[in-house]
Amino acid sequence: MGLIYLDGKFVDESQAKISVFDHGLLYGDGVFEGLRSYNGKIFKLDEHILRLYKSAKAIYLEIPMKFEELKKTVIETVRKNNLKDSYIRVVVTRGVGDLGLDPRKCKKPTIFIIASKIQLYPESFYEKGIDVITVATRRNFNESINPAIKSLNYLNNILAKIEANNAGATEGLILNQFGYISECTGENVFIVKENNLITPPISSGVLEGITRKVVINIGENIGLKVKEEDITRYDIYTCDECFLTGTAAEIVPVVVVDKRIIGDGKPGKITLKIREEFRLLTEIEGTPVYE
Ligand code: PXG
């Protein structure tokens, strides 16, 4: 059984329980992060923890733990579970309040960290590529819950995922209110056109993905012209290559979009090159858990 960090203690999975009055549950009032460890090293730990603090700041939530202490606790959670390759979830909620939504009643944020075995995507996704469809659910406005905030309010993304599931597609491509592509339900989107590597800007309503950032750097290092600019469905249908990025997904080639075949219908050369470079980084970088 796994050991969960919950509000200052490590408890058995069966004892890791949250109040029904926790506003994370009642209202989705909280923030989270999803990280990975590769061979006993946590990839981009600082970047993920920093994004957690930024998400918290944006929703007026003060995390009752210092940056370094939280980092140490994440490392300890992986260590206590004896994991080498893991998926790590860090959650901070507004805490226990009453049934009203006023957060002033919530005196102490709830913090928990789960480190578990990683559920990898099927190998066929990487070998053959995946098909995606544009969904009807739109990205919420930046002036509402800004999609850059990794909040516990993921219903928008979940609705998009259900639409994709219902259509028999692997992922759903979400447009923003202006009709531009934003991202998928839990991954950022990239296209390759000739020597250009293009991804929608943060302002288009996307999460500032950690993998996205790594891929932008890889793109620059291998001589591609990287652009963060608005893209339309036409741009995707007519691109040479398309792929998605995310902590869980890493780099997944997309070969069909709304029944249009992308490129030659196989994972693209540049996509595969970027994936290889990305995998190399996960092997050589990272914060060690066991030393
Ligand atoms: N966009 C959204 C909306 C995300 O939630 C990403 C992009 C990719 O970001 P990173 O930093 O991981 O490169 C995410 C993060 C899952 C799952 O189980 C995935 C995410 C969040 C929650 C669950 O697939 N992805």
Side-chain angles (χ1 to χ4, degrees):
M1 279 279 226
L3 279 177
I4 314 287
Y5 174 85
L6 175 59
D7 289 333
K9 291 192 206 93
F10 283 94
V11 295
D12 193 87
E13 199 176 303
S14 61
Q15 302 304 313
K17 291 182 179 152
I18 299 283
S19 164
V20 293
F21 291 97
D22 194 297
H23 280 210
L25 174 64
L26 287 177
Y27 297 114
D29 187 354
V31 293
F32 76 103
E33 269 304 318
L35 306 79
R36 255 174 105 157
S37 72
Y38 291 86
N39 196 22
K41 294 196 289 329
I42 303 174
F43 192 60
K44 301 286 172 195
L45 176 60
D46 281 58
E47 287 80 352
H48 281 281
I49 300 301
L50 191 61
R51 189 170 65 186
L52 184 75
Y53 278 89
K54 283 192 200 166
S55 295
K57 186 170 188 183
I59 68 158
Y60 304 95
L61 174 63
E62 202 171 322
I63 300 178
M65 227 191 210
K66 292 257 164 56
F67 187 91
E68 286 303 321
E69 192 190 349
L70 182 52
K71 253 174 69 178
K72 266 194 208 148
T73 312
V74 170
I75 296 168
E76 208 180 335
T77 308
V78 178
R79 195 188 305 130
K80 282 208 187 288
N81 286 283
N82 284 315
L83 293 161
K84 281 190 140 188
D85 296 294
S86 69
Y87 186 75
I88 308 154
R89 181 61 57 94
V90 185
V91 181
V92 185
T93 81
R94 191 77 63 182
V96 174
D98 63 15
L99 287 180
L101 56 79
D102 192 338
R104 285 177 297 188
K105 296 279 174 62
C106 306
K107 298 300 176 204
K108 192 168 78 47
T110 302
I111 306 184
F112 60 89
I113 306 169
I114 306 167
S116 70
K117 279 214 184 91
I118 177 105
Q119 294 278 326
L120 294 175
Y121 284 29
E123 196 49 41
S124 63
F125 281 20
Y126 303 97
E127 282 164 9
K128 295 193 184 132
I130 62 165
D131 60 329
V132 309
I133 57 146
T134 310
V135 298
T137 303
R138 295 275 172 137
R139 211 70 184 101
N140 35 310
F141 276 119
N142 286 335
E143 295 77 10
S144 302
I145 304 169
N146 192 311
I149 303 169
K150 211 163 161 55
S151 83
L152 294 179
N153 262 279
Y154 254 51
L155 195 49
N156 208 40
N157 303 48
I158 291 163
L159 292 177
K161 187 75 186 178
I162 293 170
E163 281 189 67
N165 292 346
N166 288 346
T170 308
E171 254 303 331
L173 202 54
I174 308 169
L175 306 180
N176 64 23
Q177 296 296 326
F178 308 105
Y180 292 111
I181 310 287
S182 60
E183 60 184 346
C184 283
T185 65
E187 298 90 18
N188 292 107
V189 182
F190 281 82
I191 59 173
V192 177
K193 262 192 180 178
E194 290 162 0
N195 198 38
N196 301 298
L197 180 64
I198 312 164
T199 193
I202 305 306
S203 58
S204 69
V206 305
L207 185 76
E208 196 166 4
I210 311 286
T211 320
R212 175 184 181 276
K213 184 77 184 291
V214 174
V215 165
I216 287 174
N217 287 337
I218 292 173
E220 283 164 351
N221 290 342
I222 63 174
L224 297 170
K225 196 158 191 275
V226 182
K227 297 176 180 168
E228 292 181 55
E229 59 186 34
D230 284 327
I231 59 180
T232 64
R233 288 199 294 163
Y234 170 83
D235 295 323
I236 292 217
Y237 300 154
T238 59
C239 72
D240 303 331
E241 299 182 25
C242 177
F243 61 85
L244 310 182
T245 66
T247 297
E250 298 181 327
I251 285 104
V252 176
V254 173
V255 292
V256 180
V257 179
D258 296 337
K259 299 269 189 265
R260 276 86 161 179
I261 290 170
I262 305 303
D264 61 2
K266 296 198 188 91
K269 271 201 202 89
I270 292 173
T271 304
L272 294 176
K273 172 77 183 153
I274 290 173
R275 181 169 183 236
E276 197 183 301
E277 294 288 325
F278 179 81
R279 290 236 153 143
L280 204 61
L281 286 179
T282 63
E283 278 169 27
I284 59 179
E285 286 189 2
T287 307
V289 173
Y290 301 98
E291 42 181 67

